[in-house]
């Protein structure tokens, strides 16, 4: 019963994150991250994603697409709580419940002839940590890198402390990244490569043994279908893996977007091969019948599904590239409806 109530509370607060005032936004963020730290400290993984969603909702991330917003937002949230943990204990009563302006400043400094700040901005009626805050987090982290946690603050165990335990040679930078991060990429590559090979072997054994549709297929068709599946597994393993490498936000966003686009292209390739496989199966079946109608229908339906796969894949990739696809989707919907009305009689005569 206790677990059910706790889950209900987390779900409710995640959906209804309060960002109506600077004080409420600060409360929403800090309380979410404190709960995450408590779960991590107790060794529990459940509900962390819901709490991260709530914390991320307090950040101004409109320049990022939905596909990478959570990945980047989680990185920003960890950086921000790392800084707050080392500042003086935040007093909610010192934060305004409302502001006449659409901007509220919490902290501002000048470092290396640059201005950094932690502030909030009112956007569409919601108060969120501003883009200037997010851009300043890297420098703030360096300022507080060796500072102890403020008194009366729950131990910060969210930030990855692996770097501090590594030899100095591993922390040296080479081409934008530290040596241990390059090593992490190499290990991740090896793990993904092994998973790709195992996936190919297991899927090959399963489909040959359990599915009639594959027994009728040629080995060439099967290999064409398994190959993109293996590559897709290889890429998908990298997507969550890069989050453990503590990459700078700009590099993390670029790598995540690159991997998601790669996974999208591979998904289109895989869908194409699956449709091709199913089409081949029904073509073989149609040869066994005297009716010629199915000989025409199978290729027609196959090409129609191909077009649908390419359109959906193209829209998703365009969205991943931060291209506004709202107009395109609306145009496709209206165009499809117009085509359906125009071709109604033709299709009726055909059938």
């Amino acid at each position: 019963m206790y677990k059910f109530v706790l889950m209900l509370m987390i779900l409710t607060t995640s959906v209804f994150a309060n960002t109506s005032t600077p004080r409420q936004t600060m409360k929403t963020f800090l309380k979410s991250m404190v709960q995450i730290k408590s779960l991590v400290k107790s060794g529990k993984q459940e509900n962390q994603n819901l709490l991260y969603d709530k914390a991320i909702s307090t950040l101004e991330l409109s320049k990022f697409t939905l596909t990478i917003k959570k990945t980047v937002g989680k990185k920003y949230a960890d950086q921000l709580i790392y800084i707050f943990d080392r500042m003086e204990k935040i007093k909610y009563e010192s934060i305004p419940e409302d502001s006449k302006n659409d901007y509220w400043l919490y902290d501002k400094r000048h470092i290396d002839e640059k201005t950094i700040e932690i502030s909030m901005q009112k956007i569409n009626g919601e108060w969120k940590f501003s883009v200037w805050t997010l851009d300043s987090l890297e420098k703030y982290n360096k300022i507080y890198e060796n500072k102890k946690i403020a008194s009366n603050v729950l131990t910060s165990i969210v930030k990855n402390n692996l770097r501090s335990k590594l030899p100095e040679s591993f922390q040296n930078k080479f081409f934008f990244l530290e040596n241990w991060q390059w090593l992490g990429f190499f290990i991740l590559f090896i793990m993904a490569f092994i998973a790709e090979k195992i996936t190919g072997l297991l899927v090959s054994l399963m489909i040959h043994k359990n599915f009639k549709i594959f027994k009728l297929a040629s080995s060439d068709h099967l290999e064409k279908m398994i190959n993109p599946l293996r590559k897709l597994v290889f890429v998908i393993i990298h997507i969550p893996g890069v989050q453990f490498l503590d990459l700078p936000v700009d590099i993390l966003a670029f790598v995540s977007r690159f991997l998601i686009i790669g996974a999208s292209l591979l998904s289109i390739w895989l869908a194409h091969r699956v449709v091709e496989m199913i089409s081949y199966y029904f073509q073989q079946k149609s040869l066994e019948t005297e009716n010629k109608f199915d000989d025409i229908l199978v290729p027609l339906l196959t090409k129609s599904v191909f077009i649908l796969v390419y359109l959906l894949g193209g829209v998703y990739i365009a969205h991943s590239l931060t291209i506004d696809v709202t107009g395109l989707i609306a145009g496709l919907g209206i165009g499809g409806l117009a085509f359906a009305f125009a071709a109604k009689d033709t299709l009726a005569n055909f059938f």
Side-chain angles (χ1 to χ4, degrees):
M1 184 64 181
Y2 170 74
K3 288 186 176 180
F4 174 76
V5 173
L6 180 63
M7 179 67 176
L8 187 62
M9 287 174 62
I10 291 174
L11 277 169
T12 305
T13 54
S14 297
V15 174
F16 300 105
N18 192 342
T19 55
S20 58
T21 68
R23 185 184 298 181
Q24 293 303 322
T25 297
M26 183 69 81
K27 278 185 177 180
T28 297
F29 177 79
L30 290 178
K31 289 184 176 181
S32 300
M33 298 306 293
V34 166
Q35 286 180 287
I36 290 171
K37 289 189 285 184
S38 298
L39 289 173
V40 172
K41 191 174 182 179
S42 61
K44 296 178 181 179
Q45 296 295 323
E46 66 271 18
N47 305 325
Q48 283 191 38
N49 286 331
L50 292 171
L51 290 167
Y52 262 119
D53 288 342
K54 184 181 173 185
I56 291 169
S57 70
T58 66
L59 309 177
E60 171 47 32
L61 298 170
S62 58
K63 68 176 182 179
F64 298 102
T65 60
L66 288 173
T67 51
I68 64 169
K69 185 175 286 187
K70 185 165 185 177
T71 300
V72 173
K74 187 175 178 181
K75 171 77 174 180
Y76 278 134
D78 286 348
Q79 288 182 330
L80 186 55
I81 194 63
Y82 182 83
I83 295 162
F84 281 148
D85 284 344
R86 283 151 181 80
M87 284 184 165
E88 72 280 1
K89 185 174 175 61
I90 296 173
K91 298 177 181 178
Y92 293 129
E93 57 271 17
S94 65
I95 303 173
E97 270 289 7
D98 198 4
S99 177
K100 296 179 181 179
N101 302 317
D102 292 340
Y103 171 83
W104 176 74
L105 181 66
Y106 176 73
D107 185 81
K108 190 172 186 177
R109 307 180 187 201
H110 299 280
I111 306 293
D112 299 331
E113 299 182 353
K114 290 185 178 179
T115 302
I116 60 173
E117 65 178 62
I118 296 177
S119 60
M120 293 186 195
Q121 190 177 13
K122 191 175 183 180
I123 301 171
N124 297 325
E126 292 185 293
W127 283 92
K128 299 196 174 189
F129 288 101
S130 66
V131 291
W132 307 293
T133 300
L134 304 182
D135 292 340
S136 302
L137 292 181
E138 291 284 349
K139 287 194 175 293
Y140 268 108
N141 268 257
K142 289 181 180 178
I143 294 172
Y144 287 97
E145 194 170 24
N146 299 315
K147 190 170 181 179
K148 292 182 179 180
I149 297 168
S151 58
N152 300 320
V153 172
L154 181 67
T155 303
S156 178
I157 52 178
V158 177
K159 187 174 174 66
N160 184 2
N161 292 316
L162 175 63
R163 180 185 282 106
S164 60
K165 298 176 182 178
L166 292 172
E168 190 174 343
S169 58
F170 279 76
Q171 300 179 47
N172 294 332
K173 276 197 171 183
F174 172 73
F175 199 64
F176 300 116
L177 296 179
E178 296 175 14
N179 291 334
W180 75 270
Q181 292 171 324
W182 286 115
L183 179 61
F185 269 118
F186 178 73
I187 294 171
L188 193 58
F189 178 87
I190 296 298
M191 292 172 59
F193 179 78
I194 294 172
E196 175 194 347
K197 296 300 180 184
I198 293 174
T199 300
L201 179 63
L202 292 177
V203 171
S204 181
L205 291 172
M206 287 173 59
I207 63 179
H208 277 94
K209 185 177 181 180
N210 298 320
F211 297 96
K212 182 180 178 182
I213 189 173
F214 297 115
K215 292 179 181 178
L216 296 178
S218 65
S219 58
D220 181 54
H221 278 86
L222 288 172
E223 182 60 33
K224 284 182 177 179
M225 189 191 70
I226 294 173
N227 193 35
L229 176 62
R230 287 164 40 200
K231 302 299 181 188
L232 182 60
V233 169
F234 179 84
V235 172
I236 286 176
I237 286 178
H238 281 80
I239 294 175
V242 295
Q243 298 182 39
F244 294 96
L245 300 180
D246 200 23
L247 301 173
V249 174
D250 291 341
I251 296 177
L252 177 62
F254 173 79
V255 172
S256 298
R257 184 176 286 118
F258 176 79
L259 290 171
I260 289 170
I261 292 171
S264 302
L265 291 171
L266 288 169
S267 298
I268 295 171
W269 184 17
L270 176 61
H272 177 96
R273 293 306 186 190
V274 170
V275 173
E276 200 174 54
M277 172 71 68
I278 296 172
S279 174
Y280 177 81
Y281 171 78
F282 283 108
Q283 282 177 355
Q284 298 303 308
K285 287 291 186 181
S286 67
L287 295 176
E288 299 174 4
T289 64
E290 296 182 0
N291 191 344
K292 298 299 180 183
F293 177 70
D294 49 7
D295 295 340
I296 301 171
L297 185 62
V298 171
L300 178 64
L301 291 176
T302 300
K303 290 179 180 178
S304 300
V305 176
F306 278 153
I307 292 172
L308 181 62
V309 167
Y310 299 149
L311 284 175
L312 292 176
V315 168
Y316 187 78
I317 291 171
H319 179 67
S320 300
L321 291 170
T322 66
I323 298 173
D324 187 7
V325 295
T326 307
L328 177 61
I329 294 173
L332 288 174
I334 296 171
L337 188 62
F339 177 79
F341 278 115
K344 181 179 64 173
D345 294 335
T346 304
L347 290 172
N349 292 332
F350 173 77
F351 282 103

